[in-house]
Short mmCIF file of all heavy atoms in Angstrom, two decimals:
data_model
loop_
_atom_site.label_atom_id
_atom_site.label_comp_id
_atom_site.label_asym_id
_atom_site.label_seq_id
_atom_site.Cartn_x
_atom_site.Cartn_y
_atom_site.Cartn_z
N MET A 10 41.08 69.78 48.79
CA MET A 10 40.62 71.19 48.58
C MET A 10 39.39 71.51 49.34
O MET A 10 39.22 72.62 49.92
CB MET A 10 40.40 71.43 47.03
CG MET A 10 40.00 72.84 46.64
SD MET A 10 39.68 72.91 44.85
CE MET A 10 41.38 72.42 44.30
N ILE A 11 38.46 70.59 49.45
CA ILE A 11 37.16 70.79 50.16
C ILE A 11 37.50 70.96 51.55
O ILE A 11 36.85 71.83 52.23
CB ILE A 11 36.21 69.57 49.87
CG1 ILE A 11 35.80 69.55 48.40
CG2 ILE A 11 35.04 69.71 50.80
CD1 ILE A 11 34.95 68.33 48.08
N VAL A 12 38.34 70.16 52.15
CA VAL A 12 38.73 70.17 53.53
C VAL A 12 39.29 71.65 53.87
O VAL A 12 38.96 72.22 54.83
CB VAL A 12 39.76 69.12 54.01
CG1 VAL A 12 40.29 69.37 55.33
CG2 VAL A 12 39.11 67.87 53.94
N VAL A 13 40.18 72.19 53.02
CA VAL A 13 40.82 73.40 53.22
C VAL A 13 39.67 74.52 53.16
O VAL A 13 39.67 75.42 54.00
CB VAL A 13 41.89 73.76 52.11
CG1 VAL A 13 42.28 75.10 52.19
CG2 VAL A 13 43.06 72.77 52.34
N LEU A 14 38.76 74.39 52.18
CA LEU A 14 37.70 75.42 52.12
C LEU A 14 36.78 75.44 53.28
O LEU A 14 36.48 76.43 53.77
CB LEU A 14 36.83 75.19 50.81
CG LEU A 14 37.57 75.48 49.49
CD1 LEU A 14 36.70 75.06 48.31
CD2 LEU A 14 37.79 77.00 49.35
N VAL A 15 36.50 74.21 53.69
CA VAL A 15 35.53 74.16 54.93
C VAL A 15 36.23 74.65 56.15
O VAL A 15 35.66 75.38 56.97
CB VAL A 15 35.12 72.64 55.17
CG1 VAL A 15 34.40 72.58 56.58
CG2 VAL A 15 34.20 72.23 54.03
N SER A 16 37.50 74.31 56.26
CA SER A 16 38.28 74.83 57.42
C SER A 16 38.39 76.35 57.43
O SER A 16 38.17 76.92 58.45
CB SER A 16 39.69 74.13 57.42
OG SER A 16 40.42 74.74 58.44
N GLY A 17 38.55 76.87 56.14
CA GLY A 17 38.70 78.29 56.05
C GLY A 17 37.42 79.10 56.41
O GLY A 17 37.43 80.05 57.09
N CYS A 18 36.30 78.44 56.00
CA CYS A 18 35.00 79.04 56.35
C CYS A 18 34.76 79.01 57.82
O CYS A 18 34.25 79.91 58.34
CB CYS A 18 33.78 78.24 55.61
SG CYS A 18 33.85 78.52 53.82
N LYS A 19 35.09 77.91 58.47
CA LYS A 19 34.91 77.83 59.95
C LYS A 19 35.76 78.83 60.66
O LYS A 19 35.32 79.54 61.60
CB LYS A 19 35.25 76.36 60.41
CG LYS A 19 34.23 75.36 60.05
CD LYS A 19 34.59 73.99 60.75
CE LYS A 19 33.48 73.03 60.47
NZ LYS A 19 33.82 71.70 61.00
N ASN A 20 37.02 79.03 60.16
CA ASN A 20 37.95 79.95 60.78
C ASN A 20 37.40 81.42 60.60
O ASN A 20 37.47 82.21 61.57
CB ASN A 20 39.30 79.90 60.21
CG ASN A 20 39.94 78.62 60.63
OD1 ASN A 20 39.61 78.02 61.63
ND2 ASN A 20 40.95 78.18 59.88
N ALA A 21 36.90 81.71 59.45
CA ALA A 21 36.32 83.02 59.13
C ALA A 21 35.07 83.27 60.02
O ALA A 21 34.93 84.36 60.52
CB ALA A 21 35.91 83.07 57.71
N GLN A 22 34.28 82.18 60.14
CA GLN A 22 33.08 82.26 60.93
C GLN A 22 33.48 82.50 62.41
O GLN A 22 32.83 83.41 63.11
CB GLN A 22 32.27 81.02 60.84
CG GLN A 22 30.78 81.25 61.14
CD GLN A 22 29.99 79.92 60.81
OE1 GLN A 22 30.54 78.81 60.91
NE2 GLN A 22 28.71 80.11 60.47
N GLN A 23 34.41 81.92 62.94
CA GLN A 23 34.95 82.08 64.26
C GLN A 23 35.51 83.40 64.48
O GLN A 23 35.31 84.09 65.46
CB GLN A 23 35.95 81.03 64.61
CG GLN A 23 35.30 79.59 64.81
CD GLN A 23 36.43 78.57 65.05
OE1 GLN A 23 37.65 78.71 64.86
NE2 GLN A 23 35.99 77.37 65.30
N ALA A 24 36.25 83.89 63.42
CA ALA A 24 36.82 85.18 63.46
C ALA A 24 35.75 86.25 63.61
O ALA A 24 35.85 87.33 64.33
CB ALA A 24 37.70 85.51 62.31
N SER A 25 34.69 86.17 62.81
CA SER A 25 33.55 87.20 62.90
C SER A 25 32.86 87.16 64.15
O SER A 25 32.38 88.20 64.65
CB SER A 25 32.56 86.91 61.71
OG SER A 25 31.97 85.66 61.98
N VAL A 26 32.84 86.00 64.84
CA VAL A 26 32.14 85.92 66.16
C VAL A 26 33.01 86.56 67.28
O VAL A 26 32.43 87.14 68.13
CB VAL A 26 31.90 84.46 66.47
CG1 VAL A 26 31.37 84.32 67.95
CG2 VAL A 26 30.86 83.89 65.55
N VAL A 27 34.32 86.42 67.21
CA VAL A 27 35.20 86.89 68.29
C VAL A 27 35.84 88.22 67.86
O VAL A 27 36.85 88.59 68.43
CB VAL A 27 36.26 85.83 68.60
CG1 VAL A 27 35.63 84.62 69.15
CG2 VAL A 27 37.26 85.53 67.46
N ALA A 28 35.34 88.94 66.84
CA ALA A 28 35.91 90.28 66.50
C ALA A 28 35.58 91.31 67.44
O ALA A 28 34.86 92.30 67.28
CB ALA A 28 35.26 90.62 65.07
N PHE A 29 36.21 91.19 68.74
CA PHE A 29 36.10 92.20 69.75
C PHE A 29 37.34 92.97 69.81
O PHE A 29 38.40 92.46 70.00
CB PHE A 29 35.81 91.36 71.11
CG PHE A 29 35.36 92.28 72.27
CD1 PHE A 29 34.13 92.53 72.52
CD2 PHE A 29 36.40 92.87 72.93
CE1 PHE A 29 33.76 93.36 73.56
CE2 PHE A 29 36.02 93.73 74.01
CZ PHE A 29 34.69 94.00 74.30
N PRO A 30 37.21 94.31 69.72
CA PRO A 30 38.45 95.16 69.76
C PRO A 30 39.16 94.89 71.15
O PRO A 30 38.70 94.95 72.19
CB PRO A 30 37.90 96.61 69.76
CG PRO A 30 36.52 96.39 69.11
CD PRO A 30 36.05 95.15 69.67
N ARG A 31 40.57 94.66 70.97
CA ARG A 31 41.36 94.48 72.19
C ARG A 31 41.31 95.91 72.98
O ARG A 31 41.48 95.86 74.21
CB ARG A 31 42.74 94.12 71.85
CG ARG A 31 42.92 92.73 71.29
CD ARG A 31 44.37 92.32 70.97
NE ARG A 31 44.39 90.97 70.55
CZ ARG A 31 45.61 90.40 70.27
NH1 ARG A 31 46.77 91.10 70.40
NH2 ARG A 31 45.72 89.10 69.84
N SER A 32 41.46 96.99 72.26
CA SER A 32 41.53 98.28 72.83
C SER A 32 40.93 99.34 71.92
O SER A 32 40.99 99.16 70.73
CB SER A 32 42.93 98.68 73.17
OG SER A 32 43.07 99.91 73.70
N PHE A 33 40.39 100.40 72.54
CA PHE A 33 39.96 101.60 71.76
C PHE A 33 40.84 102.81 71.82
O PHE A 33 40.58 103.82 71.47
CB PHE A 33 38.52 102.02 72.31
CG PHE A 33 37.48 101.03 72.10
CD1 PHE A 33 37.21 100.12 73.12
CD2 PHE A 33 36.76 100.90 70.88
CE1 PHE A 33 36.19 99.12 73.01
CE2 PHE A 33 35.74 99.88 70.74
CZ PHE A 33 35.50 98.99 71.74
N SER A 34 42.04 102.53 72.36
CA SER A 34 43.05 103.55 72.69
C SER A 34 43.52 104.30 71.40
O SER A 34 43.58 105.64 71.39
CB SER A 34 44.26 103.09 73.42
OG SER A 34 44.88 102.09 72.59
N GLU A 35 43.76 103.61 70.41
CA GLU A 35 44.28 104.34 69.13
C GLU A 35 43.14 105.12 68.55
O GLU A 35 43.34 106.26 68.06
CB GLU A 35 44.69 103.22 68.14
CG GLU A 35 46.05 102.52 68.46
CD GLU A 35 46.43 101.58 67.36
OE1 GLU A 35 45.89 101.53 66.26
OE2 GLU A 35 47.48 100.85 67.65
N LEU A 36 42.02 104.58 68.58
CA LEU A 36 40.73 105.36 68.00
C LEU A 36 40.55 106.63 68.87
O LEU A 36 40.31 107.66 68.34
CB LEU A 36 39.51 104.50 68.02
CG LEU A 36 38.27 105.21 67.48
CD1 LEU A 36 38.44 105.64 66.01
CD2 LEU A 36 37.11 104.16 67.57
N ALA A 37 40.58 106.43 70.18
CA ALA A 37 40.47 107.64 71.09
C ALA A 37 41.48 108.69 70.87
O ALA A 37 41.18 109.91 70.81
CB ALA A 37 40.38 107.14 72.57
N GLN A 38 42.68 108.22 70.70
CA GLN A 38 43.80 109.21 70.47
C GLN A 38 43.59 109.90 69.18
O GLN A 38 43.92 111.07 69.05
CB GLN A 38 45.14 108.50 70.52
CG GLN A 38 45.51 108.05 71.88
CD GLN A 38 46.86 107.22 71.88
OE1 GLN A 38 47.39 107.05 70.83
NE2 GLN A 38 47.27 106.75 73.04
N LYS A 39 43.03 109.24 68.23
CA LYS A 39 42.90 109.79 66.83
C LYS A 39 41.77 110.84 66.90
O LYS A 39 41.91 111.96 66.20
CB LYS A 39 42.50 108.66 65.85
CG LYS A 39 42.12 109.12 64.46
CD LYS A 39 41.61 108.01 63.59
CE LYS A 39 41.22 108.42 62.18
NZ LYS A 39 40.84 107.29 61.43
N VAL A 40 40.71 110.67 67.63
CA VAL A 40 39.57 111.60 67.53
C VAL A 40 39.53 112.72 68.56
O VAL A 40 38.99 113.76 68.38
CB VAL A 40 38.14 110.86 67.61
CG1 VAL A 40 38.14 109.76 66.47
CG2 VAL A 40 37.97 110.16 68.95
N GLN A 41 40.19 112.52 69.75
CA GLN A 41 40.13 113.43 70.75
C GLN A 41 40.62 114.80 70.43
O GLN A 41 39.92 115.88 70.91
CB GLN A 41 40.94 112.93 72.03
CG GLN A 41 40.15 111.99 72.87
CD GLN A 41 40.87 111.65 74.15
OE1 GLN A 41 42.10 111.37 74.19
NE2 GLN A 41 40.21 111.65 75.25
N PRO A 42 41.64 115.09 69.70
CA PRO A 42 42.09 116.43 69.40
C PRO A 42 40.97 117.39 68.78
O PRO A 42 41.02 118.57 68.95
CB PRO A 42 43.29 116.28 68.51
CG PRO A 42 43.75 114.85 68.79
CD PRO A 42 42.54 114.09 69.08
N ALA A 43 40.12 116.71 67.96
CA ALA A 43 39.03 117.57 67.26
C ALA A 43 37.80 117.77 68.20
O ALA A 43 36.96 118.51 67.77
CB ALA A 43 38.67 116.88 66.00
N VAL A 44 37.73 117.03 69.38
CA VAL A 44 36.60 117.32 70.22
C VAL A 44 36.87 118.45 71.17
O VAL A 44 37.98 118.51 71.78
CB VAL A 44 36.25 116.10 70.97
CG1 VAL A 44 35.09 116.28 71.83
CG2 VAL A 44 36.08 114.92 70.06
N VAL A 45 35.94 119.46 71.28
CA VAL A 45 36.14 120.58 72.08
C VAL A 45 35.11 120.70 73.32
O VAL A 45 34.12 120.13 73.26
CB VAL A 45 36.02 121.90 71.23
CG1 VAL A 45 37.00 121.89 70.12
CG2 VAL A 45 34.59 121.97 70.66
N ASN A 46 35.55 121.38 74.35
CA ASN A 46 34.71 121.69 75.50
C ASN A 46 34.19 123.08 75.27
O ASN A 46 34.94 123.99 74.85
CB ASN A 46 35.46 121.61 76.73
CG ASN A 46 36.04 120.25 77.03
OD1 ASN A 46 35.46 119.25 76.63
ND2 ASN A 46 37.17 120.13 77.71
N ILE A 47 32.88 123.29 75.52
CA ILE A 47 32.19 124.59 75.26
C ILE A 47 31.58 125.01 76.55
O ILE A 47 30.83 124.36 77.11
CB ILE A 47 31.12 124.36 74.16
CG1 ILE A 47 31.78 123.92 72.85
CG2 ILE A 47 30.42 125.75 73.90
CD1 ILE A 47 30.69 123.69 71.76
N SER A 48 31.93 126.26 76.89
CA SER A 48 31.32 126.92 78.07
C SER A 48 30.67 128.15 77.60
O SER A 48 31.25 129.02 76.89
CB SER A 48 32.34 127.21 79.17
OG SER A 48 33.30 128.09 78.69
N SER A 49 29.38 128.43 77.88
CA SER A 49 28.62 129.54 77.43
C SER A 49 28.14 130.29 78.73
O SER A 49 27.70 129.69 79.69
CB SER A 49 27.55 129.18 76.55
OG SER A 49 26.64 128.24 77.14
N THR A 50 28.09 131.54 78.54
CA THR A 50 27.53 132.44 79.66
C THR A 50 26.30 133.19 79.11
O THR A 50 26.48 133.85 78.02
CB THR A 50 28.56 133.42 80.11
OG1 THR A 50 29.73 132.73 80.56
CG2 THR A 50 28.07 134.20 81.34
N SER A 51 25.30 133.14 79.82
CA SER A 51 24.03 133.91 79.40
C SER A 51 23.49 134.71 80.63
O SER A 51 23.82 134.42 81.67
CB SER A 51 23.00 132.84 78.85
OG SER A 51 22.62 131.93 79.83
N THR A 52 22.62 135.70 80.30
CA THR A 52 22.02 136.39 81.24
C THR A 52 20.57 136.07 81.55
O THR A 52 19.79 136.00 80.59
CB THR A 52 22.08 137.99 80.87
OG1 THR A 52 23.36 138.34 80.60
CG2 THR A 52 21.53 138.81 81.96
N VAL A 53 20.24 135.85 82.76
CA VAL A 53 18.89 135.45 83.16
C VAL A 53 18.28 136.50 84.03
O VAL A 53 18.88 137.00 84.93
CB VAL A 53 18.90 134.07 83.95
CG1 VAL A 53 17.46 133.69 84.28
CG2 VAL A 53 19.53 132.99 83.06
N ARG A 54 17.02 136.94 83.76
CA ARG A 54 16.38 137.89 84.46
C ARG A 54 15.59 137.23 85.70
O ARG A 54 14.81 136.39 85.49
CB ARG A 54 15.30 138.59 83.62
CG ARG A 54 15.81 139.19 82.25
CD ARG A 54 16.86 140.23 82.39
NE ARG A 54 16.33 141.38 83.19
CZ ARG A 54 17.17 142.48 83.36
NH1 ARG A 54 18.40 142.53 82.82
NH2 ARG A 54 16.70 143.50 84.06
N ILE A 55 15.91 137.74 86.89
CA ILE A 55 15.21 137.27 88.04
C ILE A 55 14.25 138.29 88.52
O ILE A 55 14.61 139.50 88.76
CB ILE A 55 16.25 136.96 89.20
CG1 ILE A 55 17.28 135.88 88.73
CG2 ILE A 55 15.58 136.50 90.45
CD1 ILE A 55 16.70 134.64 88.41
#
């Protein structure tokens, strides 16, 4: 039981260290539709 617990802790520790996203594509696809481009026109006196 102790061996299993220690092994589990090591695996969890290793998992937290290598928790690097493989891709951000799903997140990008999720948020992009609500992001807008804004163009504004103003008058400047010369």
Side-chain angles (χ1 to χ4, degrees):
M10 185 182 297
I11 292 172
V12 170
V13 170
L14 287 172
V15 170
S16 176
C18 289
K19 285 184 177 180
N20 290 336
Q22 205 171 25
Q23 290 174 351
S25 65
V26 171
V27 298
F29 189 95
R31 291 184 178 180
S32 172
F33 296 94
S34 60
E35 291 185 6
L36 180 59
Q38 290 175 357
K39 175 182 176 182
V40 302
Q41 274 186 315
V44 181
V45 303
N46 298 329
I47 300 174
S48 61
S49 62
T50 305
S51 58
T52 303
V53 179
R54 308 295 303 185
I55 302 297

